[in-house]
Amino acid sequence: MLIVPEALIAQLVSADDAFKAIEACFASMARGDAYNFPVVREALGEGRQYGFKSGLDRAGAMLGVKAGGYFPGNGDKGMINHQSSVFLFDPKTGKPQAMVGGNLLTALRTAAASAISIDRLARKDARVLGIVGAGHQAGFQLRAAAKVRRFERVIAWNLHPDMLPKLGAVAAELGLPFEAVDLPRMREADVIITITSSPAASLMAAHVSPGTHLACMGTDTKGKQEVDPALVAAAHVFTDEVAQSISIGEAQHAVAAGTLDAHAITPLGEVLIGRDPGRRSAEEITLFDGTGVGLQDLAVAAVAVARARERGMGIDVGV
Ligand code: NAD
């Protein structure tokens, strides 16, 4: 079994690797070659969440689990709030193959998912990127989004405005003008990424213009909510996995309220394999409900392990 610690991941997996791996993962799910097992997610108190995301990809020969969660007090200890590890097993025998640091991989695979949704669903002429949220994950989402459209500027809102300059620095690195705005000015955006841990909607229907693509990435647990359920109900909704979208994703609220039919939600993989056309007009609002599936974690962990083996990196514990 190979151990690939967190400190090696940045040398082994790039944002482009993650983009390709997640496209293949969503396509595999749409073809029925891969499926996710039910998510286990438990509240530990004081805002801490812990759980397991797992799955099997027959085509990619991947079986495994990501164990981890969200620990909101970590910032004070100089750590990021998400902490996770991925375990890979041989799908034929169950033998453990690898244990891989999951923190950077989570950031990369989550950014890749929203970028794939922008690539496939946003209007080609999208020029203004809006971001709601400015925590650890926001910079990754911005970097990945900037690779798939020619954005000319970035506007951002965060409940805690003191966090915005860090996101502004990422925009500056990318050569993009950056402005902190209030929520009604999100109407200027052609694409909006939401990436907060909010328990109630911030982005309302009145804050979004026709033709916008929304990548809603923060809601990955029961009880979280980033956008107005009326906006979700009015949008053309896509997701990584419908079962997660309606139970722990942004769509959970509109589905529970009876304003969105679960059958109207399309897996993004269907678009990737050409079975669904995606956006239907320049005016419709498309919304990707990115809940984060276990197969995404396995896909990027498998890249890390393959690269580490090629380069003789990691710690082989020989079992
Ligand atoms: P973080 O703790 O670094 O940042 C949290 C963000 O949420 C900050 O922008 C903060 O200002 C904002 N926020 C906190 N309380 C809020 C409130 N009450 N209303 C509005 N905004 C509020 O977290 P992060 O690593 O940037 O992750 C952000 C969110 O994305 C978390 O909810 C996390 O669970 C989720 N996430 C989802 C996936 C996925 O695959 N869908 C993957 C990683 C993270």
Side-chain angles (χ1 to χ4, degrees):
M1 183 174 84
L2 189 70
I3 298 176
V4 186
E6 187 64 45
L8 291 184
I9 302 298
Q11 298 169 56
L12 296 170
V13 184
S14 68
D16 290 342
D17 294 329
F19 190 94
K20 284 190 207 117
I22 301 311
E23 271 198 330
C25 162
F26 289 164
S28 206
M29 285 165 60
R31 286 193 200 98
D33 290 333
Y35 70 104
N36 296 287
F37 306 157
V39 175
V40 174
R41 191 110 168 139
E42 290 291 320
L44 305 182
E46 298 155 359
R48 292 166 302 157
Q49 299 274 341
Y50 194 70
F52 307 95
K53 284 186 170 176
S54 51
L56 169 68
D57 184 341
R58 291 188 198 89
M62 282 182 271
L63 172 69
V65 59
K66 178 169 85 169
Y70 188 72
F71 301 81
N74 281 5
D76 306 339
K77 304 178 185 79
M79 285 188 275
I80 60 166
N81 293 339
H82 265 102
Q83 292 293 326
S84 61
S85 308
V86 185
F87 298 83
L88 297 178
F89 304 90
D90 181 330
K92 291 233 159 54
T93 64
K95 186 174 182 281
Q97 290 180 321
M99 175 181 153
V100 188
N103 296 354
L104 178 58
L105 289 179
T106 298
L108 291 172
R109 64 78 147 148
T110 305
S114 64
I116 293 165
S117 84
I118 295 166
D119 188 34
R120 298 295 175 141
L121 300 172
R123 295 186 339 264
K124 297 282 181 225
D125 64 353
R127 291 292 176 262
V128 181
L129 174 62
I131 303 185
V132 174
H136 174 70
Q137 195 58 50
F140 288 91
Q141 308 299 132
L142 167 53
R143 282 181 206 282
K147 285 178 184 255
V148 295
R149 283 293 179 278
R150 288 202 194 107
F151 291 114
E152 290 170 354
R153 61 191 176 96
V154 179
I155 56 176
W157 177 87
N158 195 45
L159 182 69
H160 309 101
D162 53 307
M163 296 169 84
L164 284 165
K166 204 170 154 208
L167 186 60
V170 176
E173 227 182 85
L174 298 167
L176 289 168
F178 179 87
E179 192 183 357
V181 297
D182 54 16
L183 281 166
R185 281 200 50 203
M186 280 291 152
R187 278 195 294 266
E188 294 170 24
D190 303 304
V191 171
I192 302 174
I193 299 170
T194 62
I195 184 71
T196 71
S197 52
S198 176
S202 312
L203 190 73
M204 307 311 283
H207 302 151
V208 176
S209 292
T212 302
H213 173 64
L214 295 161
C216 298
M217 306 304 296
T219 297
D220 55 0
T221 301
K222 244 186 192 49
K224 283 191 193 172
Q225 185 177 26
E226 298 192 286
V227 308
D228 187 352
L231 182 54
V232 180
H236 186 180
V237 181
F238 298 82
T239 187
D240 40 27
E241 194 194 77
V242 174
Q244 286 195 194
S245 171
I246 63 175
S247 56
I248 58 172
E250 195 59 47
Q252 65 182 285
H253 307 286
V255 169
T259 52
L260 175 68
D261 184 343
H263 295 105
I265 305 175
T266 307
L268 186 56
E270 300 280 333
V271 180
L272 293 172
I273 66 170
R275 212 186 275 154
D276 185 280
R279 168 175 289 279
R280 290 174 298 212
S281 75
E283 289 75 39
E284 80 170 357
I285 291 173
T286 50
L287 186 152
F288 174 63
D289 186 3
T291 65
V293 295
L295 286 167
Q296 282 175 263
D297 299 304
L298 307 192
V300 283
V303 175
V305 171
R307 290 269 161 78
R309 287 204 192 280
E310 272 165 35
R311 298 180 194 169
M313 292 165 74
I315 304 150
D316 199 330
V317 293
V319 283

